[in-house]
Each structure stands twice: as structure tokens, then as C-alpha cells.
Amino acid sequence: MLDNRSLAHAMEPVFRTPGQSRGLPNLCYVDDAYHRLEAERLLARDWLCVGVGADIPSRGDAVAIDAAGQPILLVRDRDGGIRAFHNVCRHRGSLLLEDRHSGPVLVCPYHSWSYALDGRLVRTPEVGGPGVHTCPSVDKEALGLLPVRVGVWLDFVFVNLSGDAPPLDSVVAPMAERWSDYATDRLVHAASDTYELRANWKLAIENYLECYHLPWVHPGLNSYSPLDAHEYRVFADRFFGPITNVYRASVAPEKVLPCFPGLPEARRLVGEYPIAFPNLLLGIQRDHLFGIIIDPLAVDRTRERLHIYLIDDGAARSEAETARIEAAKADLVAGWREVFTEDIGIVERMQRGRASGAFDGGTLTAFHDGCTQRFMQHVARAVAPDAMPNARVGQA
Ligand code: FES
Ligand SMILES: [Fe+2]
């Protein structure tokens, strides 16, 4: 079933015109072999979001992460830059780091080979015998940690395992341009949260890309940001999703937060919620930005890492005003947590539905599912590329 031609045949219905199209077949959500193929052909070849700068705030901080099923290290080096390496010791292949670490060197727990923050192998104790710390066959120069291509946009850290994706700057350029009114250099990391879902990663994204479910899954949100105040937009090839024009249209004075300085009036009620394909979900509004990193852990298991950034507008404030803003921030963060938690059960129900042999990918509606369809088309083109030379990515 996993040869290119069969895959292309199974995925072809996502390329039909809206209204005629169907979603991806069940195997894309339940099949382990498909999941590995997707990691290899899509996630490892693209710019995958794997973390945020706030995960490693200080020089010497390092964190172990998983990218497309491979162990990777993110490191804040001596100059404050972010580097990525394969998280595997060049000696006998032990995982170098579990979880996180802070310090000037990374020491392998097995035989204590030690690596500097720029990846250089700096110590190989006893390698030539007791008391002998060098050996002719161990060329330290050649045995540094293997680097992974890394890039940062906003505070989000991306890696490209294959090394040959187009430059990250050029990929994000259309969105950076669209959001150039927002003084994103004022953003400050304010909160994070992690959710585990018993569902395939794509379902979490597909759910984010439509607002149709608002009245039924998010009745609270829908009461002040209703379904009919949303539209869908393709901002760029890889950036598409819903927008609203009533973002906090009437907000109680005690809940007002600092806004992006100099933001044009026309932007004040706008909220934009695009995916940065393949795995970062973004939300920008006049008073904050959030990102949800979607980590595919297994074919039926996903982790979502939510990061919320608020704005430091540099204004001097009284103690009472600062306390009010802190309370307003807590309220905002709690509001998003509620919304994203409400989605979990419904995404897991979609996963359970994929066990049905009678499900044929379902119906993609012309109005609401254009962004979902576009996402699926991107996936299909990456996973079964040769078999669909003429497949066109449709418009949402
Ligand atoms: S495996 Fe790392 S030092 Fe031996
Ligand atoms: Fe939702």
C-alpha cells in the first residue's frame, strides 16, 4: 500500500475541486509505516518548528528535542546564538543529553567525551589507556557533534534535517512582511503549556484551520468572537488559516493589555491564525502573539506546546497598574488554555473515527475546509511527490 502509486491514488481525492474533494484516507492517521514515511519525506525535508528561544534563555543552556523521530540538541552558544546538533555521541552513539542541561560543556555520560557549545570535541579522558587522554585514531577535529541546519523566526526555532530546504528567511518572508506593522521585537515570553493528545498530529492542525466548530466546541469563545466574524485566508503558500475582525472588540477596562506600539488602527480588531506549514500554529492580535508547536510523537500521539508572548511597550507604570496588567495577563492565558483544552477531546474523537473501515476521508466543505484541504494537499505532495506531478495546491 505504501508504494508511491498506491499512495498517490489514495490521496488523490484531496486534489479535487472544493465540494468534490475528500480528506486524506485513514492510513495517513493510523498506519505506522506511513507515519515513518511522512517523517522522512515531509518533516525531515522541511523547516520543522522544534522549540522556542525561551527554552534555552541563557548561554550554555541546552535542551534535548525530537525532530521527525530523530534526537536533536538545541544549544545557546557562548555568543548567545542558537545552534542545533544531532544528539548522539560520536564515540559509541549514546544519546548525549536527556532533557536539559546548563554549562560550558556537554559531557557524555558513557565515557565522558566532552563537547563545547559549538560542537567541538574537547575531551576524551583515558581514551588511549589509563592516564592517556589522546589516541592517534581519535581525531578530535573530525569528531565534533554533527550540526543540524537551524533558523529562528520571531522566537520560534526551526530545524531542517535534510539541509536542502530553501532558506528559512525566504520561506517566512511573506508572513514577516504581512506582519511588519507589529513591533515583534517587543514580544516577551509570558507563558507556556503542554497538552498530550491521543491523536495524529495532522488532526490537531486540521481542527485549528477551521472555525466551523466554534459554536459547538467553544461556546464561550463563540459568544464574543462568533463564527460569522471569521473568514479564511491564504497569506502565502505555506501560511493560511482563519482571521477574525472582532478580536476583543469590547474588552473590560481592567483586562486591557499593552499593545504593539504604533499598530495601525485598522489592525486593532484583527486576529490572524495561520499555520506556518508544516507544524507551527500561530495567532497574532494587537496585544499578544501565540504559537503552538505540534510535535508528532507517534502515529496516534501528539504533543502540543503552547507559547504565549505579550508586549513590553516600555511605558512607566505605577505599582497598582502593573498589578492590574499581571491579572489581565493571567486572565488572557487562562482563556486560551480553556479554548485549546476544549479542542483536545474532539480531535481525539476524530482519531477514533479513523478506525472505521467505512470512513473514506469524509467531506471537505467548500466554505469551511479550504485551509484544511490546502494543508492536506501540501502533505500529499510531500509524501507522494513523483506520482502527482500535476497536482495543484488549491485556493482556500
Ligand atoms: S558513547 Fe559517549 S563517550 Fe562513549
Ligand atoms: Fe477549536
Side-chain angles (χ1 to χ4, degrees):
M1 187 55 181
L2 286 182
D3 64 279
N4 254 1
R5 192 154 294 282
S6 309
L7 264 179
H9 181 71
M11 293 169 134
E12 179 277 328
V14 304
F15 291 96
R16 296 180 191 164
T17 49
Q20 310 289 312
S21 49
R22 294 202 304 270
L24 292 171
N26 285 353
L27 108 144
C28 300
Y29 303 89
V30 302
D31 187 275
D32 280 317
Y34 171 85
H35 185 69
R36 285 194 296 275
L37 198 65
E38 195 177 62
E40 181 191 312
R41 293 187 177 172
L42 166 60
L43 305 178
R45 290 186 188 167
D46 215 319
W47 282 106
L48 193 66
C49 186
V50 292
V52 290
D55 289 335
I56 43 172
S58 306
R59 290 159 203 228
D61 286 351
V63 64
I65 50 143
D66 171 287
Q70 298 192 41
I72 304 291
L73 270 177
L74 296 181
V75 177
R76 179 79 67 176
D77 68 19
R78 291 167 58 130
D79 301 323
I82 291 177
R83 298 182 188 235
F85 300 100
H86 288 279
N87 182 12
V88 59
C89 180
R90 296 297 304 277
H91 177 217
R92 296 291 301 130
S94 164
L95 195 71
L96 190 58
L97 180 67
E98 267 187 321
D99 200 17
R100 55 178 55 250
H101 165 82
S102 202
V105 284
L106 291 149
V107 182
C108 178
Y110 200 175
H111 314 95
S112 251
W113 285 24
S114 307
Y115 302 87
L117 300 175
D118 59 5
R120 278 177 304 118
L121 177 60
V122 291
R123 257 186 93 236
T124 53
E126 321 288 336
V127 69
V132 182
H133 307 309
T134 58
C135 111
S137 62
V138 173
D139 176 3
K140 285 209 197 85
E141 298 275 306
L143 291 173
L145 293 177
L146 294 169
V148 173
R149 198 168 170 222
V150 66
V152 181
W153 176 51
L154 303 169
D155 192 43
F156 298 99
V157 181
F158 299 80
V159 296
N160 168 226
L161 290 170
S162 66
D164 58 2
L168 182 66
D169 286 353
S170 71
V171 171
V172 304
M175 212 60 216
E177 170 62 27
R178 180 175 178 85
W179 286 353
S180 58
D181 287 339
Y182 296 91
T184 51
D185 57 331
R186 299 289 193 144
L187 289 167
V188 179
H189 190 269
S192 55
D193 223 350
T194 302
Y195 312 105
E196 300 260 346
L197 286 73
R198 298 180 66 81
N200 183 268
W201 68 282
K202 297 187 294 298
L203 292 176
I205 291 175
E206 291 163 24
N207 170 67
Y208 187 81
L209 291 178
E210 54 97 338
C211 311
Y212 191 11
H213 65 281
L214 248 62
W216 304 285
V217 178
H218 308 297
L221 176 64
N222 192 64
S223 67
Y224 54 84
S225 181
L227 177 58
D228 62 8
H230 289 76
E231 297 167 32
Y232 301 97
R233 289 282 167 81
V234 177
F235 302 114
D237 182 46
R238 306 160 52 89
F239 294 87
F240 46 93
I243 66 167
T244 178
N245 291 308
V246 297
Y247 171 70
R248 290 186 143 211
S250 58
V251 57
E254 70 274 15
K255 295 194 175 165
V256 170
L257 285 165
C259 294
F260 286 106
L263 193 67
E265 198 55 37
R267 284 270 186 197
R268 293 188 60 78
L269 297 183
V270 173
E272 297 187 340
Y273 305 96
I275 182 175
F277 186 85
N279 76 321
L280 174 63
L281 306 176
L282 291 165
I284 200 163
Q285 301 87 357
R286 67 173 180 268
D287 53 7
H288 71 289
L289 168 93
F290 68 75
I292 308 173
I293 303 167
I294 304 294
D295 295 322
L297 300 180
V299 70
D300 57 356
R301 224 156 40 82
T302 297
R303 182 175 51 218
E304 297 182 348
R305 285 179 282 160
L306 166 68
H307 292 282
I308 298 180
Y309 295 81
L310 295 163
I311 293 136
D312 175 6
D313 62 1
R317 292 192 168 87
S318 67
E319 219 171 278
E321 179 63 356
T322 303
R324 183 200 64 74
I325 288 176
E326 285 307 312
K329 282 181 186 176
D331 187 72
L332 179 95
V333 170
W336 279 127
R337 282 182 173 144
E338 183 181 329
V339 169
F340 297 134
T341 305
E342 284 170 345
D343 281 316
I344 293 175
I346 212 71
V347 171
E348 291 182 336
R349 280 177 91 108
M350 282 202 288
Q351 180 70 28
R352 288 159 64 198
R354 264 62 186 173
S356 168
F359 185 69
D360 62 357
T363 308
L364 296 176
T365 67
F367 185 83
H368 285 295
D369 296 312
C371 289
T372 301
Q373 183 176 3
R374 191 178 181 88
F375 169 73
M376 292 174 170
Q377 290 173 348
H378 275 304
V379 171
R381 284 158 66 93
V383 178
D386 319 331
M388 275 182 269
N390 300 317
R392 201 173 52 83
V393 174
Q395 295 300 305

